[in-house]
């Protein structure tokens, strides 16, 4: 490594995928400038102590506009239809300030849990107009220091059956929306909605992201029509579908055929474990199906997949801390993935969603933005297994958060020997620190 290079910051001894031993990572002007076993240079240092680093988690599917609604009204927690109706009633009262405040709560949590890129869906229709969209634009601007936010506008309550919605979507696309979403299952003409959305996406040159096939009835699927349109329009690599829980109900041969169709068309799949597990299979009185599509099996067929958050603390999912590592852990647990599959489950919340979102500058590589998080574990797979907290994060080379380890305060008489603070024996027990 040339020692004449100057750096603004050097990360020391970072455990990085693709490197057998910990490496030093140099940052210059907000970008990664060098990765080497040892960088000889004078610069402020961050001691990583052999902990795993990742370029941050990538959450491809979040609803910031309808997050944190628990307690707002006395709705019953039923299935999908009840959740849509509950939010439909509430969103007439949404103001820009209200959506901003609730979205900010989720972003604060997500940033502290290590998410550096996010795609948020936002409902646009005559009930809420463009108020939620305006709030998301402000959040995107105000949080750019910590997270890259991409805004996906979509018609939650139908398009062809909801007059005025298409005009509002067009207005949003003219005014900064990054992606166009869809929800054919609430439309009286699902194939008509799919066709209209492909028309609009082509016209505005944006990617598409559908909520799709969100039940366990395998007698029909909109997946076929989305794949057909994707191929016909030459849109492979630019289309994602979320939930697709029907795939979880297919026997192996039919599943393999569907997976091959998705891979061939270039349609990506997002699995949303918290919502899918909460809402699917409610008609069962016992032996309740999980309703969780096995993303790790789709990977074997060459389908690009992600695991994402979806809803946080609302009628669709009354849980959530915006942690993608916890979500990947939940997915692996519910999908019965063993340790041999943990690295792939980490990929489902990092590199694969970055591909789904066509983020060409994501990853710890020379020239890319210096986005990086430090996990309190020697490998990402071990972090996934134990839900190790991210202890610090950087965006464009600037520190965006820190999380000191919990300090146990045992009574003095019970302290027999000093113990390493870290769960993992082979880590440097001293906390990573900034040294000026
Ligand atoms: Zn969603």
């Amino acid at each position: 490594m040339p020692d004449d290079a100057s750096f603004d910051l050097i990360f020391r001894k970072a455990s990085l995928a693709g490197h057998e031993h910990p490496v030093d990572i140099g940052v210059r002007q907000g970008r990664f400038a060098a990765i080497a076993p040892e960088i000889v240079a004078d610069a402020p240092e961050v001691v990583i102590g052999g902990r795993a680093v990742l370029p941050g988690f990538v959450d491809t599917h979040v609803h910031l506009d309808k997050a944190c609604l628990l307690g707002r009204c006395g709705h019953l927690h039923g299935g999908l239809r009840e959740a849509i109706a509950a939010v439909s009633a509430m969103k007439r009262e949404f103001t820009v300030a209200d959506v901003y405040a609730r979205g900010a709560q989720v972003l604060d949590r997500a940033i502290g849990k290590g998410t550096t890129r996010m795609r948020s869906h936002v409902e646009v229709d005559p009930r809420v107009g463009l108020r939620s969209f305006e709030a998301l634009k402000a959040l995107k601007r105000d949080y750019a220091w910590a997270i890259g936010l991409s805004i996906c506008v979509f018609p939650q309550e139908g398009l062809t059956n909801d007059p005025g919605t298409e005009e509002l979507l067009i207005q949003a696309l003219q005014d900064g929306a990054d992606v166009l979403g869809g929800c054919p299952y609430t439309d009286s003409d699902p194939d008509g909605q799919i066709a209209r959305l492909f028309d609009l996406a082509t016209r505005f040159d944006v990617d598409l992201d559908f909520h799709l096939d969100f039940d366990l009835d395998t007698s029909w699927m909109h997946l076929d029509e989305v794949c057909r349109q994707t191929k016909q329009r030459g849109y492979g690599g630019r289309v994602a579908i979320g939930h697709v829980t029907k795939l979880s109900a297919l026997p192996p041969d039919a599943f393999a055929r569907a997976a091959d169709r998705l891979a061939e068309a270039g349609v990506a799949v997002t699995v949303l474990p918290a919502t899918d597990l909460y809402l699917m299979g409610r008609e069962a009185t016992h032996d309740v199906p999980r309703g969780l599509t096995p993303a790790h099996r789709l990977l074997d067929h060459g389908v690009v997949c992600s695991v994402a958050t979806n809803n946080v603390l609302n009628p669709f999912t009354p849980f959530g801390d915006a942690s993608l590592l916890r979500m990947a852990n939940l997915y692996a647990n519910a999908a019965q993935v063993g340790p041999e599959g943990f690295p792939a489950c980490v990929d489902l919340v990092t590199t694969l969603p970055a591909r789904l979102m066509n983020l060409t500058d994501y990853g710890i590589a020379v020239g890319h933005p210096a986005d990086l998080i430090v996990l309190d574990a020697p490998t990402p797979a071990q972090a996934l297994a134990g839900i190790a907290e991210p202890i610090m994060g950087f965006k464009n080379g600037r520190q965006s958060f820190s999380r000191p380890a919990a300090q146990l305060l045992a009574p003095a008489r019970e302290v027999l020997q000093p113990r390493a603070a870290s769960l993992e024996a082979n880590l440097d027990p001293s906390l990573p620190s900034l040294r000026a």
Side-chain angles (χ1 to χ4, degrees):
M1 185 63 225
D3 60 4
D4 57 347
S6 65
F7 298 99
D8 303 323
L9 187 65
I10 299 173
F11 296 99
R12 296 291 186 192
K13 299 295 171 233
S15 172
L16 182 61
H19 296 263
E20 199 180 333
H21 301 290
V23 293
D24 291 353
I25 303 170
V27 174
R28 190 184 305 128
Q29 293 179 343
R31 291 182 177 268
F32 294 119
I35 300 167
E38 187 177 5
I39 295 175
V40 181
D42 260 346
E45 295 182 349
V46 181
V47 178
I48 307 294
R51 288 173 174 79
V53 299
L54 290 171
F57 298 115
V58 182
D59 208 333
T60 66
H61 191 131
V62 183
H63 293 264
L64 291 178
D65 56 328
K66 58 187 176 193
C68 305
L69 289 170
L70 289 191
R72 182 162 292 204
C73 72
H75 59 267
L76 291 171
H77 278 267
L80 176 60
R81 200 175 310 181
E82 290 84 353
I84 292 172
V87 173
S88 177
M90 282 187 269
K91 73 181 168 187
R92 294 171 193 275
E93 313 300 324
F94 285 1
T95 64
V96 175
D98 167 42
V99 174
Y100 184 98
R102 288 183 291 99
Q105 283 181 48
V106 177
L107 288 175
D108 289 345
R109 296 292 289 271
I111 291 162
K113 293 292 185 181
T115 299
T116 52
R117 316 272 186 127
M118 178 186 285
R119 172 183 288 177
S120 177
H121 290 263
V122 55
E123 298 183 17
V124 166
D125 61 36
R127 284 160 290 284
V128 72
L130 294 170
R131 297 192 298 279
S132 295
F133 172 65
E134 291 299 331
L136 261 78
K137 280 201 300 177
L139 288 167
K140 176 178 176 171
R141 181 192 65 221
D142 294 350
Y143 278 88
W145 59 272
I147 191 165
L149 185 62
S150 167
I151 303 176
C152 176
V153 290
F154 89 110
Q156 170 72 77
E157 298 182 54
L159 178 65
T160 70
N161 54 302
D162 202 3
T165 299
E166 183 164 344
E167 290 73 13
L168 288 165
L169 287 172
I170 289 170
Q171 246 181 291
L173 287 163
Q174 286 168 337
D175 195 25
D178 302 292
V179 180
L180 181 60
C183 195
Y185 66 77
T186 56
D187 205 300
S188 52
D189 177 8
D191 286 356
Q193 177 181 127
I194 292 167
R196 284 304 297 143
L197 292 175
F198 268 97
D199 287 344
L200 286 175
T202 309
R203 177 174 150 199
F204 287 95
D205 191 24
V206 293
D207 292 357
L208 279 163
D209 196 334
F210 294 92
H211 292 76
L212 209 77
D213 292 344
F214 192 16
D215 59 53
L216 302 179
D217 176 0
T218 57
S219 64
W220 59 272
M221 289 195 186
H222 292 141
L223 177 155
D224 300 313
E225 178 61 11
V226 168
C227 288
R228 194 183 71 78
Q229 291 271 359
T230 301
K231 285 169 74 172
Q232 188 189 315
R233 313 260 187 158
Y235 237 60
R238 302 191 67 181
V239 180
I241 54 178
H243 299 294
V244 210
T245 47
K246 286 175 187 286
L247 292 178
S248 74
L250 288 178
D253 51 343
F255 178 85
R257 283 196 299 277
D260 290 342
R261 204 173 311 137
L262 288 163
E264 194 209 338
V267 173
V269 171
T270 298
V271 173
L272 303 156
T275 305
D276 297 347
L277 288 166
Y278 184 65
L279 290 180
M280 291 297 98
R282 285 180 167 246
E283 56 287 351
T285 57
H286 58 287
D287 263 350
V288 181
R290 298 174 199 210
L292 188 68
T293 279
H296 63 292
R297 296 217 176 96
L298 291 174
L299 297 181
D300 295 339
H301 291 263
V303 182
V304 174
C305 294
S306 66
V307 162
T309 296
N310 200 32
N311 284 293
V312 177
L313 304 172
N314 74 6
F316 293 83
T317 315
F319 310 105
D321 59 357
S323 164
L324 268 184
L325 191 63
R326 187 185 64 79
M327 199 54 64
N329 173 291
L330 175 65
Y331 169 81
N333 202 156
Q336 302 177 334
V337 179
E340 70 288 349
F342 290 174
C345 290
V346 174
D347 292 346
L348 284 166
V349 289
T350 53
T351 51
L352 290 163
R355 268 177 67 191
L356 182 150
M357 287 178 66
N358 290 309
L359 302 174
T360 52
D361 62 353
Y362 172 85
I364 300 175
V366 171
H368 285 184
D371 298 354
L372 172 155
I373 62 166
V374 181
L375 297 166
D376 196 16
T379 68
Q382 283 165 275
L384 174 124
I387 319 184
E389 293 284 12
I391 53 179
M392 57 169 67
F394 292 77
K395 184 77 175 169
N396 297 315
R398 179 187 172 277
Q399 188 164 7
S400 52
F401 75 90
S402 72
R403 176 182 288 101
Q407 199 183 351
L408 302 191
L409 304 173
R413 62 188 168 80
E414 291 182 15
V415 179
L416 300 175
Q417 291 176 6
R419 288 169 57 187
S422 174
L423 192 65
E424 309 294 345
N426 54 340
L427 285 180
D428 179 346
S430 65
L431 267 182
S433 58
L434 271 172
R435 288 205 306 234

